[in-house]
Amino acid sequence: MTRFDKSKLPSRHVSVGPERAPHRSYYYAMGLTEEEIGRPFVGIASAGNDSAPCNTTLDAQADAARIGVNEAGGMPRRFNTITVTDGIAMGHQGMKASLVSRDCIADSVELSMRGHCYDALIGFAGCDKSLPGMMMAMLRLNVPSIFVYGGSILPGRFENNDVTVVDVFEAVGGFAAGNCPLARLTALEKVACPGHGACGGQFTANTMACVGEAIGLSLPNSNMTPAPYTSRADIAIGAGRQIMTLIEKNIRPRDLATRKAFENAARIVAATGGSTNAALHLPAMANECGVDFDLFDMAEIFKTTPYIADLKPGGRYVAKDMYDAGGVYMALKALFDAGFLHGDCLTVTGKTLAENIDEVTWNPDQKVIYSVPNALSPTGGVVGLKGSLAPDGAIVKVAGMKTLQFRGPARVFDSEEACFAVVEQRGIEPGCVIVIRYEGPKGGPGMREMLSTTAALYGQGMGEQVALITDGRFSGATRGFCIGHVGPEAAEGGPIALIEDGDMIAIDAEAGTIELEVDAAVLDARRANWVPRATDYQSGAIWKFAQTVGPARLGAVTHPGANAETHMFADI
């Protein structure tokens, strides 16, 4: 007697009954037996490719998951999706493809799952946008699902220090400033990334890997294991086995990703000084399952979350150090023991978050994760802002920052390239507020990250002497007073479109405010003369994204989400 009733699973549409004989002939062609065709079909989605070290081990890990699926009575069906790797796309027009790729990944996984009627999904991702894209697909489809992160890179070693790719970006600024010889820059670039895996600091990939565990879609303490470690194969095999339990018990992603689970996820972002990009990705994931959770909801949670993980770029340690310290669940345990998490949320183990945490023993000898009474700061490493310059909100990472207030005159640029050219020539004055606009979801299009510019400023020693505001995004690797996601964006005629050189701007990350100190009458006059700008992208995928994308506050999503559903794939 099988544990699985195929009459209730999507794969019945391609494998059960005389009318599906043509469909079954394709499976026989691939070597499957009649018994194997009778099993539940498990989609194994891999974002593996040769574009960057973030993705190079994913296909092998996905293939290892086949072992677990087979052992537990399922039929694995692997397929691939794309990635756009931010470290390579950074600082040029290629970055316009980055955020667009998140939705393309979610869409492509959805279409493959729908077209072939798979019953469950295991998703493997390694680079920034592939993590939320994969989890968005899981929540959209709502078949039993497990998310597996491919793991981070090991730190490079240079001049007796651990280094990451961010050190290379900042060294570029140092070279431009004349204080980093070309030979030193060349030596650093050759050792900063020593092998397979995603960027090692608490940048976007590792932030969203923490989210995967906190929200319950990943197996406990699986995601911080570095990519080169052979134990990653065991994690993949375990995911393959566990997915069959989820099918048997009909435990679905939306059973896990409740409002409370999103609050838990926001806690781990703030507590670890995570990437500001999480403020895009969590609302986008919430959109997929009909949970109301936007930037302002996250900001409220950030206000009350202690900062407890001493991770780069604001701190000292990298993902491998967090793994050695006890992983994501060590941080979750610290938060839970202090009353900051909802312990009753279900996870892919079939147990609650509290039950999973109960199996974790606090490690008093590690130095990466602090207990809440000994927190690095009483409030989180990420802060939401709102004010006359950003009525629809903005976000800043404050982890490691010494000063939380800034006021200065605006220096306005209408693209990142225009700003970077001036930065490269050392044309930025200390004390100013750099404004980079028309880089939002619609206006970019694609909402580029500004790591090249911010890292160059740091490399020149200007990182603490200026602030930077954009309707675009910042890399999770960005540090300094850098405010992103300003809304409404310039392309929508938001206040950021009306700023002129010399206007005074005041930012207070403690109070959560961002103000444009210009009289309303003056702004009204400027608005009357404002003309919307056309972009260079008038066809293709980036054009399509610009036509449908919504505001950053709601996750820059491109479709109405679960609240508009009239049917769900899992129930076809």
Side-chain angles (χ1 to χ4, degrees):
M1 174 70 72
T2 179
R3 295 154 46 196
F4 308 104
D5 180 1
K6 263 210 147 178
S7 69
K8 299 182 184 300
L9 296 177
S11 65
R12 71 186 185 277
H13 295 297
V14 297
S15 62
V16 174
E19 70 278 13
R20 302 308 180 197
H23 306 67
R24 288 191 294 275
S25 71
Y26 279 67
Y27 293 112
Y28 287 121
M30 291 183 280
L32 272 65
T33 65
E34 182 176 357
E35 184 273 332
E36 289 171 331
I37 295 171
R39 301 179 190 176
F41 288 171
V42 177
I44 301 178
S46 169
N49 54 54
D50 294 341
S51 65
C54 333
N55 312 310
T56 45
T57 68
L58 295 177
D59 285 351
Q61 293 186 46
D63 283 340
R66 296 177 192 256
I67 299 169
V69 172
N70 273 310
E71 286 179 354
M75 192 64 248
R77 302 283 85 198
R78 205 197 92 187
F79 62 93
N80 280 59
T81 185
I82 67 159
T83 52
V84 172
T85 299
D86 288 6
I88 292 175
M90 194 73 67
H92 55 89
Q93 292 287 308
M95 180 49 72
K96 293 181 185 288
S98 171
L99 184 59
V100 180
S101 77
R102 179 194 71 180
D103 291 64
C104 180
I105 290 162
D107 292 349
S108 65
V109 172
E110 175 197 359
L111 293 174
S112 192
M113 292 287 293
R114 281 187 181 277
H116 303 110
C117 296
Y118 295 151
D119 302 315
L121 173 60
I122 308 172
F124 290 81
C127 197
D128 295 3
K129 305 309 171 294
S130 59
L131 281 81
M134 199 70 74
M135 288 188 274
M136 287 163 65
M138 293 173 176
L139 295 166
R140 185 184 303 177
L141 295 161
N142 204 33
V143 292
S145 300
I146 296 176
F147 173 75
V148 185
Y149 178 42
S152 69
I153 199 169
L154 295 173
R157 290 292 293 176
F158 186 70
E159 298 175 347
N160 294 318
N161 292 308
D162 283 349
V163 292
T164 72
V165 70
V166 176
D167 295 281
V168 187
F169 274 103
E170 293 184 1
V172 170
F175 172 73
N179 54 31
C180 177
L182 181 59
R184 183 178 184 275
L185 175 60
T186 302
L188 173 60
E189 74 177 72
K190 291 179 177 178
V191 300
C193 299
H196 300 293
C199 296
Q202 193 64 348
F203 314 149
T204 303
N206 284 320
T207 299
M208 296 309 296
C210 290
V211 163
E213 293 195 34
I215 210 165
L217 287 169
S218 296
L219 294 171
N221 268 348
S222 59
N223 286 346
M224 284 299 109
T225 307
Y229 284 20
T230 57
S231 56
R232 291 230 58 94
D234 296 327
I235 291 167
I237 293 168
R241 293 192 190 106
Q242 184 61 19
I243 199 71
M244 301 311 297
T245 299
L246 297 182
I247 295 173
E248 182 180 20
K249 295 182 177 179
N250 195 28
I251 296 175
R252 299 178 174 186
R254 296 187 196 178
D255 299 328
L256 318 180
T258 61
R259 167 72 191 215
K260 287 181 177 181
F262 277 98
E263 292 175 2
N264 289 342
R267 292 280 189 204
I268 200 68
V269 172
T272 59
S275 170
T276 54
N277 282 309
L280 279 179
H281 302 325
L282 281 172
M285 289 168 61
N287 179 65
E288 301 289 357
C289 52
V291 173
D292 293 328
F293 194 72
D294 67 7
L295 171 62
F296 295 132
D297 294 312
M298 294 187 70
E300 287 302 310
I301 292 166
F302 293 162
K303 284 179 186 176
T304 59
T305 305
Y307 171 41
I308 61 170
D310 191 8
L311 298 169
K312 288 177 179 287
R316 296 177 291 171
Y317 298 105
V318 295
K320 176 191 177 294
D321 300 316
M322 188 174 184
Y323 166 78
D324 290 338
V328 178
Y329 263 75
M330 193 61 62
L332 291 173
K333 180 174 179 60
L335 292 172
F336 180 73
D337 287 350
F340 285 97
L341 297 178
H342 302 289
D344 56 346
C345 295
L346 189 63
T347 73
V348 291
T349 63
K351 302 176 184 177
T352 65
L353 185 69
E355 288 173 322
N356 292 340
I357 290 172
D358 192 51
E359 297 176 10
V360 175
T361 301
W362 176 254
N363 177 3
D365 298 322
Q366 55 84 26
K367 300 178 181 179
V368 181
I369 302 159
Y370 291 67
S371 64
V372 168
N374 299 307
L376 291 159
S377 68
T379 55
V382 185
V383 171
L385 305 173
K386 188 176 184 180
S388 59
L389 198 154
D392 275 359
I395 194 163
V396 59
K397 180 190 281 195
V398 298
M401 282 174 48
K402 300 180 182 69
T403 304
L404 298 182
Q405 291 83 25
F406 199 101
R407 183 175 180 273
R411 181 79 184 274
V412 183
F413 300 92
D414 287 346
S415 71
E416 184 189 13
E417 285 87 352
C419 180
F420 187 78
V422 174
V423 170
E424 204 171 26
Q425 296 301 314
R426 307 206 70 187
I428 299 295
E429 295 293 323
C432 74
V433 178
I434 301 167
V435 177
I436 303 177
R437 62 190 177 193
Y438 295 103
E439 292 286 5
K442 285 185 182 293
M447 203 178 185
R448 285 192 291 182
E449 292 182 352
M450 307 291 164
L451 178 60
S452 292
T453 301
T454 59
L457 287 165
Y458 248 93
Q460 294 174 6
M462 292 280 287
E464 304 289 341
Q465 299 181 51
V466 296
L468 200 159
I469 294 173
T470 182
D471 51 6
R473 300 181 292 124
F474 289 111
S475 166
T478 293
R479 56 184 179 139
F481 220 139
C482 298
I483 294 101
H485 307 194
V486 168
E489 63 173 290
E492 295 283 310
I496 193 172
L498 309 178
I499 302 172
E500 295 183 359
D501 283 342
D503 289 348
M504 294 302 294
I505 296 172
I507 310 152
D508 188 333
E510 280 189 302
T513 59
I514 179 167
E515 305 294 346
L516 175 59
E517 297 179 353
V518 177
D519 287 343
V522 174
L523 290 178
D524 288 342
R526 293 179 187 176
R527 187 173 285 108
N529 294 319
W530 177 76
V531 178
R533 292 170 177 247
T535 77
D536 291 336
Y537 293 82
Q538 295 302 313
S539 66
I542 295 175
W543 175 86
K544 285 197 291 187
F545 178 85
Q547 306 316 300
T548 57
V549 69
R553 175 174 63 87
L554 300 177
V557 297
T558 54
H559 71 115
N563 285 331
E565 280 180 354
T566 57
H567 89 284
M568 183 194 306
F569 167 73
D571 293 330
I572 61 170

